[in-house]
Amino acid sequence: MTVDQTLTGADLLLAAAAEVRSWEGEISEARGRQVRWVAGEYGRALARADHPLGSDADARSLFRRGAVDCYLELAGRGLLRVRAAAKTPSGDHSRQIRIEVLALLAKAVGVRADLPPQPDPAAKPPVPKRARSLLRTSLEELADQPDALPGQIRMLAIGATAADTGARSGELCACRIEDLAPSLEELRLVRRPQGWSKAEAYVELIALSGLSRAALRRWLKERHALMERVRGTTTALWVSLHANHRGGYPVPPGTPLEPRGLFRAWTKTVGQTNGQMAGEPSWAPLPTRMEQLRRGVSPKAVPAPTQPDAERAAQLLDDVAGHGRALAQALRSDEPGTTAELEARLACRKAVREAWAEGIEHVVQLSALAEAGLSDDAALAAAGWEPVLLAAIDRATGWGRPSKAKAV
């Protein structure tokens, strides 16, 4: 796809934005939204009498310093927003994003952009150790509340996971059921640092605390109950609790959370929880911005492949099947709890974990274990699988695990 060089003004900017957003592997979903936003803003600037260019501006004129500076000044004053009530000034961060996007738009139309320099962003101070300790204490106190509401249960799981992983909201929203280790002791996280392209993303396996594992168990139960009440399936770990609207269309509950929805849900539930828990022993108000959860976190992480290596995956799956057969035989013996059974459990759990770390899908492992004689929840729990995760996998696949499908 190339930009039509006969276009001018706002039409040229929109065509350039479409070109940039088509760069698969280079442009993230968030950056794509920013590209569309800046192109729309600049197009509206051209319609104003106080901008030196008009609808007939060609590519070279659009990216000259004077025209760019005028656009940035109007945008910074909030004069290019669509909604009149939202015409408030924007800060340095928005200006930096606009300049980065203008460089992409100029590249798309094949001209050199004369852009103002970007100051280095101010470093955000990490959350002190004492504050992180109070945060974890608050989350633990919430975990002890047996009557927590669904929104609070989800918030607890998200907060505990963010405090363990230091994940950004977009990284959390991208998490799937598949990214949870069978034992819930680890999480696979695709890191997408701000300003990086999709091609530069990388994968880490991060150890989860006991608090996160307990919170995830509660959330997976709540998630399962929610998904039982709605149609369809989803593999997203974090889903909406209520019906909503997106792009002017109704969206049912149980749909994957997006970063904006996650932010709104977190802020709303934290505010309610802080008011509800005020005065409780050791309670310290939770931060209303998720950014405060991840700053200062140094997670226990190891690198992982973005895609499984076919040869290694085949070997690991053979190991899962072999250790599964040994465990099934030990479980059928007349002497449960023997050293041999314990060793079989540990060996099978290790094989399952290594296969998951390589990126072998849950259903593929479960199919191999079913063939090996481990099909019911009790046997799979002996192999290291959390029952609440098995239920989530059932729901995500729509028809159930391979072992259940065979029985139908």
Side-chain angles (χ1 to χ4, degrees), residues 178 313 317 320 355 359-371 385 393 402:
E178 199 69 42
L317 201 56
V320 169
I360 297 175
E361 295 181 353
H362 288 329
V363 291
V364 174
Q365 285 208 64
L366 291 169
S367 181
L369 290 172
E371 292 290 339
W385 293 82
I393 296 168

Side-chain angles (χ1 to χ4, degrees), residues 162-177:
D164 279 349
T165 63
R168 297 174 180 274
S169 57
E171 294 168 348
L172 284 171
C173 287
C175 288
R176 307 164 301 150
I177 293 296

Side-chain angles (χ1 to χ4, degrees), residues 327-338 340-341:
L327 177 57
Q329 183 177 353
L331 292 174
R332 289 194 299 267
S333 69
D334 295 330
E335 299 180 9
T338 61
E341 182 189 322

Side-chain angles (χ1 to χ4, degrees), residues 143-144 153 156-157 160 183-184 208-221 386 388:
D144 291 336
I153 292 172
L156 167 63
S183 63
L184 300 185
L208 297 177
S209 64
L211 172 62
S212 286
R213 295 198 296 275
L216 283 166
R217 289 188 193 99
R218 291 185 70 178
W219 164 239
L220 287 173
K221 288 180 182 178
E386 278 283 345
V388 287

Side-chain angles (χ1 to χ4, degrees), residues 7-11 46-47 53-58:
L7 295 174
T8 60
D11 291 338
L46 298 177
L53 302 180
S55 60
D56 60 345
D58 61 17

Side-chain angles (χ1 to χ4, degrees), residues 56-291:
D56 60 345
D58 61 17
R60 293 186 183 279
S61 300
L62 284 170
F63 295 99
R64 286 180 180 144
R65 184 62 174 271
V68 168
D69 282 344
C70 185
Y71 156 63
L72 291 173
E73 194 269 336
L74 292 170
R77 289 163 56 193
L79 300 178
L80 303 178
R81 298 181 188 272
V82 175
R83 292 184 294 126
K87 295 185 187 301
T88 55
S90 59
D92 291 341
H93 180 62
S94 295
R95 176 184 171 86
Q96 182 172 341
I97 290 174
R98 290 184 178 105
I99 294 173
E100 291 171 356
V101 170
L102 287 171
L104 294 172
L105 294 174
K107 178 182 176 182
V109 298
V111 299
R112 177 185 174 278
D114 186 6
L115 302 176
Q118 296 186 64
D120 293 333
K124 296 178 180 178
V127 177
K129 185 176 181 180
R130 170 64 176 164
R132 294 202 306 272
S133 177
L134 289 174
L135 167 64
R136 192 168 292 278
T137 299
S138 296
L139 289 171
E140 288 172 347
E141 190 156 336
L142 178 61
D144 291 336
Q145 302 296 315
D147 55 349
L149 299 173
Q152 291 176 313
I153 292 172
R154 184 181 62 183
M155 183 193 73
L156 167 63
I158 289 173
T161 302
D164 279 349
T165 63
R168 297 174 180 274
S169 57
E171 294 168 348
L172 284 171
C173 287
C175 288
R176 307 164 301 150
I177 293 296
E178 199 69 42
D179 295 320
L180 290 171
S183 63
L184 300 185
E185 293 179 347
E186 293 172 282
L187 177 73
R188 179 187 292 108
L189 193 66
V190 181
R191 294 290 193 186
R192 297 181 177 89
Q194 191 170 3
W196 288 30
S197 69
K198 285 184 179 179
E200 295 174 297
Y202 60 95
V203 181
E204 289 184 332
L205 306 181
I206 304 175
L208 297 177
S209 64
L211 172 62
S212 286
R213 295 198 296 275
L216 283 166
R217 289 188 193 99
R218 291 185 70 178
W219 164 239
L220 287 173
K221 288 180 182 178
E222 190 64 41
R223 180 187 181 280
H224 187 73
L226 171 71
M227 298 304 295
E228 287 288 298
R229 299 193 298 269
V230 300
R231 294 182 178 180
T233 62
T234 181
T235 61
L237 176 56
W238 313 111
V239 298
S240 61
L241 301 175
H242 308 288
N244 210 324
H245 287 81
R246 187 179 299 163
Y249 296 95
V251 176
T255 54
L257 274 181
E258 293 188 349
R260 289 184 182 180
L262 177 61
F263 172 79
R264 288 194 295 266
W266 172 268
T267 302
K268 177 181 178 181
T269 309
V270 162
Q272 295 172 341
T273 303
N274 283 340
Q276 174 188 337
M277 299 291 288
E280 292 288 332
S282 73
W283 177 260
L286 290 166
T288 56
R289 294 184 63 84
M290 290 196 64
E291 175 72 10

